Amino acid sequence: MTGAPDLPFAVGVDSGGSGLRVALAPVAAGHPAITAACAEPVRTGARGIDAGHLLEQLLPAVRRLLDRAGPGAAVTAAAVGAAGMATLGEELRARLPGALADTLGVRRVALAADAVTAYAGALGQRPGAVVAGGTGMIALGTDLTSWRRADGWGHLLGDSGGGAWIGRAGLDAAMRAHDGRRGGSPVLLARLEAVFGPVTGLPGLLYPRTDRPALLASFAPEVGACALQDEVAANILREAAAHIAEAAAAVCPRPAGSRTDRCEVALTGGLFRMGEPLLGPLREELAQQVPQARVVPAEGDPLHGALEIARALAGPGLRLPAHPSLLFVPGVT
């Protein structure tokens, strides 16, 4: 990218459980991005997401990328997407716009929930719905006037059909087989013991941990691998698919017209790398519950989505609807 410092640049940021990623690219479409990664996840404390800790990682990363871009390169717009932004982002919304203006001269800023950057990465700025599945599960849709959200409430209150949900259901079936209760799966019991060791040691391994959802979700691929030979595992994935389709149905835009009006639905996130054991039942459930859905491949990931939001702020304008907690744009929201 060196040699094009006269172009205005945009910054996209993706902050999640695995760390912080930053992308810098010219505002004009068609120019590639350069990226940097910070392995340490941004801390969350009593005041929510720690704005100071995020800035400690973000600002040096942006400066390194600007150095790579060439002398005189400057950032025109920035978009920061963060897991937990909707419920834990008050400090970020209060501090980041001013800090980015003071340190980098950035005047156009958007702060987005990670579901919004996942949406922008998958579908860009057109209407539709995105289901983001990983450890958890959330669906988000828009008609470009307002947002509709379904689930994403965490493993205790929801995330139905997500990785932790599937993993917990698989472990429950394994424990039932161990006890001799109905609904048990000897196949899943064997996988539990291969992965975690003796059944009786699992509570001591699981309950003291602060990352219980991730541990539960780590068993979801085992459920997927067993589904072709084990009816209990296959039923778990069919039920997960029903939950995911329900969430998609709840957020699909409802344009004026008949039920045959099409709604683009993109699936994004590591959950769907499970492949046909989950995707097969999910296609059936979407056809039944959301007959107007047209499943399309995601164009990019949340980092790509954050960068596209920043480019829209600096260029043709943001079409995705601003929202106080989902997509905060100072001066607009």
Side-chain angles (χ1 to χ4, degrees):
M1 192 177 295
T2 302
D6 54 322
L7 296 174
F9 284 84
V11 165
V13 181
D14 176 44
S15 176
S18 59
L20 187 86
R21 298 186 300 153
V22 187
L24 175 76
V27 169
H31 293 275
I34 53 176
T35 62
C38 307
E40 184 181 0
V42 175
R43 292 190 295 262
T44 299
R47 297 184 60 188
I49 302 169
D50 189 330
H53 190 222
L54 187 148
L55 288 166
E56 287 172 10
Q57 298 187 69
L58 173 61
L59 294 177
V62 172
R63 292 189 180 106
R64 290 194 299 271
L65 292 176
L66 287 171
D67 288 342
R68 289 171 57 188
V75 179
T76 299
V80 179
M85 178 74 79
T87 53
L88 301 171
E90 183 176 353
E91 185 179 351
L92 293 188
R93 290 186 286 270
R95 290 189 55 189
L96 253 62
L100 293 175
D102 292 342
T103 57
L104 299 174
V106 182
R107 303 296 175 184
R108 301 175 187 175
V109 177
L111 305 178
D114 57 343
V116 171
T117 52
Y119 185 101
L123 291 180
Q125 295 205 86
R126 58 187 191 267
V130 167
V131 179
T135 296
M137 202 286 300
I138 185 171
L140 197 66
T142 183
D143 57 3
L144 303 185
T145 300
S146 62
W147 292 101
R148 296 175 66 91
R149 166 188 170 163
D151 215 333
W153 303 120
H155 75 293
L156 293 179
L157 297 177
D159 284 353
S160 300
W165 186 97
I166 292 171
R168 187 200 175 282
L171 292 171
D172 175 78
M175 302 299 280
R176 287 176 175 274
H178 174 267
D179 294 346
R181 290 179 286 149
R182 288 185 300 175
S185 166
V187 174
L188 289 173
L189 175 59
R191 293 311 308 151
L192 182 160
E193 292 174 330
V195 173
F196 296 115
V199 169
T200 53
L202 185 59
L205 174 66
L206 177 64
Y207 293 133
R209 293 178 61 142
T210 58
D211 62 342
R212 286 187 293 273
L215 186 66
L216 292 171
S218 72
F219 196 68
E222 303 293 337
V223 179
C226 293
L228 293 178
Q229 60 175 313
D230 182 64
E231 188 62 22
V232 173
N235 283 336
I236 290 171
L237 296 187
R238 280 193 285 267
E239 188 174 353
H243 286 306
I244 294 168
E246 286 172 356
V251 304
C252 267
R254 293 167 173 79
S258 71
R259 283 175 53 85
T260 60
D261 291 334
R262 307 301 283 172
C263 169
E264 288 188 320
V265 178
L267 308 176
T268 184
L271 179 68
F272 301 110
R273 288 198 290 268
M274 191 178 296
E276 277 304 302
L278 177 61
L279 293 178
L282 181 54
R283 283 193 295 268
E284 295 176 4
E285 287 290 340
L286 286 170
Q288 181 177 347
Q289 296 191 44
V290 201
Q292 73 273 29
R294 181 168 69 90
V295 179
V296 298
E299 295 175 355
D301 66 4
L303 181 61
H304 171 78
L307 184 59
E308 289 308 302
I309 289 173
R311 279 173 154 163
L313 284 175
L318 187 63
R319 297 181 64 209
L320 296 176
H323 185 277
S325 59
L326 291 174
L327 182 56
F328 176 68
V329 182
V332 176
T333 308

